Amino acid sequence: MEIADWRKKIDQLDEQIVLLLSERAAAAVAIGQLKQKSASPIYEPQREQIVFDHVRKVNPGPLTGAQIQDLYERIMDVMRSLQRPANPDAKA
Ligand SMILES: O=C(O)C(=O)C[C@]1(C(=O)O)C=C[C@@H](O)C=C1
């Protein structure tokens, strides 16, 4: 394939990634609302470690485990900011 073909593939994959991230964010917002009701902390490092272990386990490569974890550290950082009640985007 030519570069243009690979870029088209990347554009299509990005559409799927954005949809999945949006779905994941909606789940995180729902969890955030439940946490707010029960006055539970937003940041749960033990749960985040489980998520890291899980995504590293299912990672088929070529990304390394450390690279996958880097991506998930950023993803969960964004999820936490979305869960904060003061954030109007959390209600979307
Ligand atoms: O599982 C939770 O408790 C969540 O709030 C979701 C989530 C995540 O995005 O996976 C976000 C923040 C927490 O620190 C842990 C995990």
Side-chain angles (χ1 to χ4, degrees):
M1 284 207 294
E2 304 294 329
I3 287 178
D5 299 317
W6 285 112
R7 285 181 176 162
K8 192 166 184 168
K9 184 173 175 63
I10 282 177
D11 288 344
Q12 290 167 348
L13 289 167
D14 284 342
E15 285 181 24
Q16 292 179 51
I17 290 168
V18 168
L19 285 176
L20 289 170
L21 284 172
S22 300
E23 209 175 322
R24 192 187 195 289
V29 167
I31 291 176
Q33 288 165 347
L34 292 171
K35 284 182 176 177
Q36 200 188 349
K37 277 186 202 161
S38 59
S40 305
I42 286 173
Y43 179 49
E44 292 205 16
Q46 286 175 331
R47 170 58 188 163
E48 296 202 5
Q49 189 57 54
I50 290 168
V51 173
F52 295 142
D53 293 345
H54 179 231
V55 295
R56 289 177 82 124
K57 193 175 164 200
V58 299
N59 172 31
L63 291 169
T64 65
Q67 287 168 333
I68 284 284
Q69 182 162 334
D70 276 353
L71 290 170
Y72 270 82
E73 280 170 8
R74 188 70 191 112
I75 287 171
M76 287 197 280
D77 185 35
V78 171
M79 298 291 155
R80 271 184 263 111
S81 70
L82 203 54
Q83 288 176 324
R84 283 188 199 107
N87 187 341
D89 293 339
K91 294 182 179 71

